[in-house]
Amino acid sequence: MEYRKIIHIDMDAFYASIEQRDNPELRGKPVAVGNPSKRGIVATASYEARKFGIHSAMSSQKAMQLCPQLIFIPSRMEVYKSVSREIREIFHRYTDLIEPLSLDEAFLDVTENKMGMELATDIAKAIKKNIREELGLIASAGVSYNKFLAKIASDYRKPDGLYVIHPDKAPEFIAGLPIEAFWGIGKVTAHKMHSLGIHTGEDLRKCSEEFLHRNFGKNGIVYHDFAHGNDPRDVEAVRVRKSVGCETTFDKDIETPMALIIELYHITTELTGRLQKADFKGRTLTLKIKFADFTIRNHSLTVEYNLTTLPRILPLAKQLLRETDLQGKSVRLMGLSVSTPSSPPPDKKPTQLSFDF
């Protein structure tokens, strides 16, 4: 059997680690990057803060309840972007097949690499060492024969981890995984799987593709592949943007429809600006509503024309808002996004080469 050599690099507590690196007084202390205001959200928490149960996307108020000594640092996004570029330059020493997922993580295909190194594990070790010595930051790495397993491997021994899932060991490893650990399975899907008696990778592997498709749609086929250790997706060196969106968390919960329409106008205006800047053309508009109780509702519609201007998007956004059952709840957050690109990229067939860690 022939396989590829895939590495997933994930920076540990990226934003918070940069702040601790740049300010020695913060080292060893619980730090959160974000806004400590009543409506604030934690963007990233240091590992010292995570010991208290603090995590990204948590409300700042809840974080301070868990850890009264928590130190909040304002976000410096331009600094984080600059450091991300420096990390990318390190990746390019080894391969140009790099697929960034965000500022702090990426996939690398090192099957054929610039250094002529035989073992993907050695490349992962070298990259971690480069990042530590040159940038003063810590990364975790996962190594395997596809993206699904490399991603799971990078999370397996964080922080400062390096874990390898060899093809011979993959079936046993996958069998023991809780289904919550599978890429793409969130709380709602996990709850449904539990109701169907699916709790582990072994349980999932026993399900037929037809059964999973019937219960989970096209994602069921993906889950079936993952359960059998299959993931044919290539590392895409140039990622094609699939959506553009924006959202706003309000200073105070909004309770009246008229106030929501006013905010919807402002969000739509921001969205059209982002669409023009990204030169993105799509045909699906999605409205996201988060209520005061943190429940979320998404509502979408697809049209036959490109959604690029305010006159085209705003009437549809209002329609989605009218069709959303607000149930008399107060609204905490509202967002809009455009997806379904006009010219989707063609599917690529996976390339396979010999495999040896």
Side-chain angles (χ1 to χ4, degrees), residues 31-320:
V31 173
V33 174
N35 187 340
S37 69
K38 184 178 180 180
R39 313 289 293 187
I41 296 292
V42 173
T44 306
S46 68
Y47 278 92
E48 294 85 357
R50 295 183 190 190
K51 294 177 181 178
F52 293 87
I54 298 169
H55 55 77
S56 60
M58 174 180 283
S59 73
S60 299
Q61 295 298 302
K62 175 68 178 295
M64 287 189 287
Q65 290 174 5
L66 294 173
C67 179
Q69 65 269 38
L70 183 64
I71 302 171
F72 269 92
I73 304 295
S75 174
R76 297 187 296 158
M77 190 53 65
E78 290 306 313
V79 174
Y80 309 148
K81 289 180 180 178
S82 176
V83 175
S84 180
R85 287 192 290 269
E86 292 180 293
I87 295 170
R88 198 82 48 82
E89 290 173 1
I90 291 175
F91 295 163
H92 276 290
R93 297 174 193 171
Y94 300 89
T95 179
D96 290 327
L97 288 177
I98 302 165
E99 180 181 346
L101 299 181
S102 62
L103 292 180
D104 60 347
E105 63 174 319
F107 286 110
L108 290 72
D109 186 329
V110 297
T111 311
E112 297 177 354
N113 60 85
K114 296 179 180 180
M115 298 292 190
M117 299 171 70
E118 181 179 358
L119 301 180
T121 306
D122 288 343
I123 296 176
K125 289 178 180 178
I127 289 173
K128 281 168 53 67
K129 182 179 179 182
N130 294 154
I131 291 173
R132 181 193 293 270
E133 293 181 351
E134 298 175 29
L135 304 179
L137 298 171
I138 305 300
S140 289
V143 181
S144 196
Y145 62 94
N146 63 38
K147 292 164 73 171
F148 162 61
L149 288 170
K151 177 75 165 68
I152 289 179
S154 68
D155 291 332
Y156 205 62
R157 288 182 175 165
K158 291 175 74 70
D160 197 18
L162 172 58
Y163 194 76
V164 179
I165 303 176
H166 192 279
D168 293 342
K169 303 293 184 182
E172 180 182 357
F173 181 89
I174 294 170
L177 284 175
I179 53 96
E180 290 86 352
F182 277 67
W183 201 2
I185 297 181
K187 290 183 179 179
V188 174
T189 302
H191 179 75
K192 183 174 181 179
M193 285 193 173
H194 289 165
S195 70
L196 295 170
I198 306 170
H199 300 274
T200 67
E202 184 175 9
D203 296 332
L204 190 60
R205 187 183 297 156
K206 293 176 181 177
C207 299
S208 69
E209 185 174 307
E210 187 277 331
F211 173 84
L212 292 173
H213 182 264
R214 185 170 69 250
N215 284 280
F216 301 100
K218 63 181 181 181
N219 286 337
I221 298 174
V222 176
Y223 303 150
H224 183 271
D225 283 345
F226 285 175
H228 290 81
N230 300 322
D231 182 2
R233 297 171 301 165
D234 284 339
V235 173
E236 298 179 2
V238 178
R239 300 195 73 209
V240 178
R241 181 185 287 271
K242 297 181 179 179
S243 67
V244 171
C246 58
E247 59 185 40
T248 298
T249 300
F250 306 123
D251 292 333
K252 294 182 179 179
D253 295 341
I254 293 180
E255 299 179 350
T256 65
M258 183 56 68
L260 283 175
I261 290 175
I262 292 172
E263 293 297 338
L264 188 64
Y265 172 82
H266 294 309
I267 294 171
T268 307
T269 301
E270 181 181 352
L271 176 62
T272 55
R274 293 191 179 191
L275 289 167
Q276 293 169 8
K277 183 177 180 180
D279 192 24
F280 183 86
K281 298 178 177 63
R283 298 181 291 106
T284 297
L285 183 68
T286 299
L287 173 69
K288 175 183 177 181
I289 297 286
K290 179 185 285 186
F291 296 108
D293 62 2
F294 286 85
T295 58
I296 296 176
R297 185 158 297 160
N298 293 297
H299 195 28
S300 302
L301 60 81
T302 300
V303 294
E304 296 300 320
Y305 50 86
N306 290 327
L307 300 172
T308 56
T309 64
L310 187 68
R312 284 191 167 185
I313 297 175
L314 186 58
L316 298 178
K318 290 180 178 178
Q319 177 183 334
L320 289 173

